[in-house]
Amino acid sequence: MTGGGPKDCEALEPYGLDGPIDELIGTEDSATRGFSRDGELLSQQLYSRMPASMSDRMNKVFAALTACPEYSELLVLGNQGTAEALVKTRAIEVKGVEGQTYGYERTVMDKELRSPRRTMTIAVTRGWTTVMLAGSPDLVKEALEPALRKATQ
C-alpha cells in the first residue's frame, strides 16, 4: 500500500492511512516492538510521560478513533490501483486492569462484505508509564497483563 485513508470520517481524514496515534501522542519518550504468532500480529508501544499530558493525548486519540462508527477507507495499491474497505469501530471497556484505560475495536471488511478482520487497541496508563497494545483481540488480551507487569515494575 502506498497511501489512502478514511473517505467519509472527518475526524480521521487529517491523519491518512497511518491514523492519529503517532501524530497526537508523538514518538519521543517511546519504544515500539512488534510480535507475530501463527500469522497474527501484535504491536506494543511504551510511553513515559507525565500522567496529565498522557491522559489528554490518549483522550484525543481514542476520541478520533471512535468518532465514526462506520466509514469507508480507500487503499492505494501503487500502480495496481485502489481498493475500498468498510470499517466499523467501537469503544470498548477494559475491565480488571488497574490504571487509566482506553479501548477500541476496529473491524475491516472488503466491499463485498466477506472476510472481516478485527483488531483491538488497548492502552493503560499507570503513573508516568503508558502501555499500548494493538493487534488481534486474542493476542492483545493475552499480552496485556504481562506487558503491564514488565513495564511498571
Side-chain angles (χ1 to χ4, degrees):
M1 285 184 284
T2 60
K7 283 179 44 179
D8 48 4
C9 180
E10 278 187 36
L12 291 175
E13 285 174 8
Y15 308 109
L17 192 59
D18 293 331
I21 292 174
D22 284 348
E23 188 168 326
L24 292 175
I25 296 175
T27 56
E28 71 278 352
D29 301 322
S30 71
T32 302
R33 182 141 182 170
F35 307 90
S36 70
R37 182 179 74 196
D38 299 329
E40 294 184 338
L41 301 176
L42 176 70
S43 166
Q44 178 180 324
Q45 292 172 287
L46 182 63
Y47 302 93
S48 177
R49 297 221 180 84
M50 284 191 341
S53 168
M54 204 57 185
S55 177
D56 183 51
R57 293 173 193 216
M58 284 296 186
N59 284 331
K60 288 177 183 172
V61 165
F62 280 84
L65 291 173
T66 58
C68 303
E70 188 172 302
Y71 60 91
S72 295
E73 189 169 71
L74 183 67
L75 307 173
V76 179
L77 308 169
N79 59 4
Q80 296 178 2
T82 62
E84 197 169 308
L86 175 66
V87 179
K88 293 185 177 190
T89 66
R90 68 184 184 102
I92 57 172
E93 191 176 332
V94 182
K95 297 180 182 179
V97 177
E98 180 186 327
Q100 190 167 11
T101 62
Y102 306 85
Y104 153 80
E105 186 176 79
R106 182 177 196 260
T107 303
V108 179
M109 293 170 271
D110 61 28
K111 277 300 186 178
E112 286 77 39
L113 302 178
R114 22 168 242 250
S115 63
R117 190 176 72 251
R118 274 185 352 146
T119 58
M120 179 183 285
T121 302
I122 291 178
V124 179
T125 299
R126 291 183 182 168
W128 283 64
T129 303
T130 298
V131 174
M132 183 184 297
L133 298 175
S136 72
D138 290 340
L139 283 181
V140 169
K141 290 175 190 173
E142 183 181 317
L144 183 60
E145 277 301 330
L148 285 168
R149 200 170 31 254
K150 193 173 199 179
T152 58
Q153 284 182 350

